[in-house]
Amino acid sequence: MQMPWILQSAVERELEGCPAQAVRAAALDLSRRYRESGRAPDGARLARSAEEVRAYAAFRMPATYAAVSRALEIAREAGLPGAQTLTDVGSGSGSAFWAVRQAFPALAQARLLEREAGMIALAKRLAAEQEGCRVEWIAGDMRQTPIPPADLVTASYCLGELRPEDAETVALRLWEAAGRALLLVEPGTPEGHARIRRYAGLLAQRGAQILAPCPRGTEACPLGDADFCAFTVRVERTRLHRFLKDGELPYEDESFSFLLAAREAGAPPAARVLRRPRVHSGFVELSLCRAGGAAWEKVTRKSPGFKRARKAEPGDGWGEGT
């Protein structure tokens, strides 16, 4: 998956005139700090200077865009309703906005809440490349600033920056602002999955319909503490992306956990694929989560779903008889 060409070009233009090696050093340092912390100390953003903000956009936006886009794909299959208005909290450089914009071409209005002035300035320049959607930026802290209501409310890779009790309070405030649905995206780690599980429980108590990724809705997660639910999306790397991340492969895999809560019941699949399939001679093993729990299940060559099983991706729905 790649970001839209118009967005890629805009990000690359942001780096024109910047010393390449300095930007690369900033990107590698940010990548190291991102891996080591998993969250910013005291909730501070990892990217601080103008140079770091540009480097962040170049090395992190492709993966964040891909993760939110893939979460939206899965969510739409589970019954995510259409949206004409969006509120994105902790919007950073606008990755989630662009993903929602691509998923819902009829999106008419977006409000992006972000507290870092450098990120807002960059997001404004990037968003100027798109047409048809009115975008408003709100400078503020998600813990205190009123959250504008919208059909769809999103928050990606930001609640983990808060203390657990603050994050849960914000999650409830996000739900109150969601007219039709709330999408939360977290890193695909045990910690990210644990946060998603807590939010799902809180929102279910408030009457939310948990449509994805869990096919069991509000039932308890069968994975327990020994495993965690995360999905991967393959991100195609541009030449600039490879340079900034000191990578040789033309792609990278981004792992994420997510939650879709809606006001109305949707159509979750009978099961969901959790891992990449194990392909054998004559059969395929699929890691499936269904109402009875999670387990590896065999799909033989004689099964009508054999070809589909071979190409299954984590997050795909799996229906009865397929």
Side-chain angles (χ1 to χ4, degrees), residues 152-171:
L152 175 63
V153 175
T154 58
S156 53
Y157 295 96
C158 62
L159 293 184
E161 297 176 353
L162 308 178
R163 295 182 302 174
E165 56 270 30
D166 289 339
E168 292 177 3
T169 298
V170 171

Side-chain angles (χ1 to χ4, degrees), residues 9-27:
S9 299
V11 171
E12 291 178 3
R13 284 197 298 273
E14 286 290 324
L15 298 178
E16 290 178 357
C18 300
Q21 291 299 333
V23 174
R24 186 187 192 205

Side-chain angles (χ1 to χ4, degrees), residues 172-209:
L172 292 175
R173 294 180 63 223
L174 294 173
W175 173 243
E176 291 173 0
R180 306 191 73 181
L182 168 64
L183 180 72
L184 303 177
V185 180
E186 291 283 335
T189 61
E191 296 78 14
H193 170 65
R195 289 194 292 271
I196 287 294
R197 287 177 59 181
R198 289 200 300 273
Y199 305 149
L202 287 172
L203 298 180
Q205 292 175 9
R206 299 295 179 94
Q209 301 290 320

Side-chain angles (χ1 to χ4, degrees), residues 68-245:
V68 176
S69 294
R70 178 59 177 150
L72 285 167
E73 286 180 357
I74 300 170
R76 294 185 76 175
E77 292 176 355
L80 171 64
Q84 290 190 323
T85 57
L86 165 73
T87 293
D88 182 44
V89 173
S91 58
S93 53
S95 302
F97 159 70
W98 280 91
V100 175
R101 186 78 180 87
Q102 289 294 109
F104 296 107
L107 190 72
Q109 182 183 59
R111 294 186 174 95
L112 279 57
L113 174 63
E114 170 59 43
R115 74 180 191 180
E116 298 297 329
M119 285 289 184
I120 293 175
L122 174 61
K124 284 184 177 181
R125 295 195 296 272
L126 297 178
E129 300 295 328
Q130 64 84 39
E131 299 178 350
C133 180
R134 185 162 60 89
V135 187
E136 175 187 348
W137 281 266
I138 302 171
D141 189 314
M142 69 182 79
R143 292 168 294 186
Q144 302 166 349
T145 305
I147 299 172
D151 294 339
L152 175 63
V153 175
T154 58
S156 53
Y157 295 96
C158 62
L159 293 184
E161 297 176 353
L162 308 178
R163 295 182 302 174
E165 56 270 30
D166 289 339
E168 292 177 3
T169 298
V170 171
L172 292 175
R173 294 180 63 223
L174 294 173
W175 173 243
E176 291 173 0
R180 306 191 73 181
L182 168 64
L183 180 72
L184 303 177
V185 180
E186 291 283 335
T189 61
E191 296 78 14
H193 170 65
R195 289 194 292 271
I196 287 294
R197 287 177 59 181
R198 289 200 300 273
Y199 305 149
L202 287 172
L203 298 180
Q205 292 175 9
R206 299 295 179 94
Q209 301 290 320
I210 308 301
L211 302 189
C214 186
R216 296 166 312 281
T218 57
E219 294 181 18
C221 176
L223 298 179
D225 297 327
D227 199 357
F228 65 100
C229 178
F231 307 101
T232 57
V233 59
R234 182 146 292 180
V235 184
E236 296 181 42
R237 286 173 169 170
T238 63
R239 181 181 300 178
L240 171 64
H241 201 192
R242 292 198 299 272
F243 172 75
L244 292 177
K245 301 197 77 168

Side-chain angles (χ1 to χ4, degrees), residues 193 213-217 219-223 229 231 269-275 286-297 316-320:
H193 170 65
C214 186
R216 296 166 312 281
E219 294 181 18
C221 176
L223 298 179
C229 178
F231 307 101
R272 191 168 303 285
V273 179
L274 296 182
R275 306 284 185 266
L286 285 183
S287 175
L288 296 177
C289 186
R290 58 172 78 246
W296 286 92
E297 299 183 20
D316 286 353
W318 191 258
E320 300 293 345

